[in-house]
């Protein structure tokens, strides 16, 4: 009678079978299923290398852009803003203020940058030229209607001439600061505060103060007083009509 060993065949060595399947370990290896390679770093990336010369080494020619484009408000001509060139192309005698190129000879007057003041011979000659031109027009207009040989006829021509002179002087000065007589003698009227041509208000004030007192009373006496006031005025040689309008007479010669 045979006996049956229920335990079945025994493995060699007499030990029990092991069901614990551990993966083989190799020296220093990684477990199966995990990628191999360097361990990822959690440190932030280094900033890009800055060129030699420090910050701003890439700034353009005009100071603000790495591509050489001008910054807002800066001109490619230099430091002058909004495209205005740094040089002055203003013709002598017709500037926009006291400064280089404004009238021709900067620094020659009592205010820095003001051109030389108009001389009295030139100013008187300019007035005489304008007066004769205006009176000639008045005589041509009045002549056919009145007898210029009488006192009344000459007085009417004088009054008409003064009215024409008032309008003529104010309009010409507000246009460019010069009448025909002043153009001939190379002087001009300018605002004392900035050297610009007279404003319309200043031009009309100057003409009115010169003409109206002469029409109301004592024409010759008023013009003498007005003129001599400018002779003694310092430092701008302003007549009374210049004082009232805040103007000054300067030369236009270079």
């Amino acid at each position: 009678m045979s006996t049956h060993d229920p335990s079945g065949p025994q493995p060699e060595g007499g030990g029990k079978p092991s069901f614990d399947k551990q993966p083989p370990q190799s020296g220093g290896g990684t477990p199966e299923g995990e990628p191999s390679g360097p361990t990822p770093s959690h440190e932030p990336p280094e900033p890009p290398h800055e060129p030699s010369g420090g910050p701003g080494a890439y700034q353009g020619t005009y100071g603000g852009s790495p591509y050489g484009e001008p910054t807002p408000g800066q001109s490619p001509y230099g430091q002058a803003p909004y495209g205005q060139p740094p040089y002055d192309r203003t013709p002598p005698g017709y500037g926009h203020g006291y400064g280089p190129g404004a009238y021709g000879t900067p620094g020659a007057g009592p205010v820095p940058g003001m051109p030389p003041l108009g001389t009295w011979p030139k100013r008187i000659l300019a007035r005489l030229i304008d007066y004769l031109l205006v009176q000639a027009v008045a005589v041509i207009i009045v002549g056919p209607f009145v007898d210029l040989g009488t006192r009344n006829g000459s007085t009417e021509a004088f009054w008409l001439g003064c009215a024409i002179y008032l309008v003529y002087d104010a309009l010409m000065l507000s246009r460019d600061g010069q009448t025909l007589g002043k153009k001939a003698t190379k002087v001009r009227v300018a605002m004392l505060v900035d050297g610009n041509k007279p404003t319309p208000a200043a031009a009309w004030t100057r003409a009115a103060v010169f003409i109206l007192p002469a029409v109301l009373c004592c024409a010759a006496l008023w013009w003498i007083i007005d003129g001599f006031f400018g002779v003694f005025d310092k430092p701008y040689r302003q007549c009374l009509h210049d004082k009232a309008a805040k103007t000054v007479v300067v030369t236009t010669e270079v």
Side-chain angles (χ1 to χ4, degrees):
M1 181 174 180
S2 64
T3 60
H4 177 68
D5 188 356
S7 60
Q10 300 293 326
E12 294 182 1
K16 294 182 179 181
S18 174
F19 297 97
D20 187 9
K21 296 182 179 182
Q22 297 292 335
Q25 301 289 335
S26 60
T30 58
E32 292 184 2
E34 294 186 11
S36 62
T39 304
S41 174
H42 296 286
E43 298 180 359
E46 296 182 358
H49 178 68
E50 190 170 273
S52 60
Y58 284 135
Q59 288 186 349
T61 305
Y62 306 111
S65 170
Y67 304 104
E69 298 177 356
T71 55
Q74 186 173 5
S75 168
Y77 297 102
Q79 298 299 324
Y82 310 115
Q84 180 183 359
Y87 47 85
D88 190 356
R89 292 182 176 178
T90 308
Y94 297 92
H96 303 289
Y98 299 127
Y103 288 99
T105 308
V111 174
M114 180 189 291
L117 297 173
T119 62
W120 281 112
K122 289 184 176 182
R123 295 177 66 173
I124 294 174
L125 180 58
R127 284 291 187 184
L128 182 60
I129 292 173
D130 291 330
Y131 179 79
L132 293 178
L133 289 175
V134 171
Q135 286 297 324
V137 173
V139 168
I140 293 174
I141 295 175
V142 176
F145 305 101
V146 298
D147 184 4
L148 296 177
T150 64
R151 182 175 180 178
N152 289 336
S154 60
T155 301
E156 290 178 4
F158 173 76
W159 285 349
L160 179 60
C162 288
I164 295 174
Y165 193 97
L166 173 65
V167 177
Y168 159 79
D169 195 53
L171 293 179
M172 292 291 286
L173 294 183
S174 61
R175 188 184 64 135
D176 60 4
Q178 288 184 296
T179 60
L180 296 178
K182 288 178 173 58
K183 289 180 184 292
T185 57
K186 296 182 179 180
V187 295
R188 74 184 295 268
V189 178
M191 297 299 297
L192 180 61
V193 65
D194 56 11
N196 288 330
K197 67 181 182 179
T199 62
W204 282 96
T205 299
R206 191 177 191 274
V209 173
F210 180 76
I211 290 293
L212 293 182
V215 174
L216 297 177
C217 177
C218 308
L221 180 60
W222 166 250
W223 287 331
I224 291 174
I225 295 174
D226 186 28
F228 268 100
F229 191 93
V231 173
F232 299 103
D233 179 69
K234 301 295 181 182
Y236 307 121
R237 301 177 191 170
Q238 291 175 295
C239 297
L240 292 176
H241 55 272
D242 285 312
K243 290 286 187 182
K246 297 180 175 60
T247 57
V248 65
V249 179
V250 295
T251 183
T252 61
E253 293 179 323
V254 178

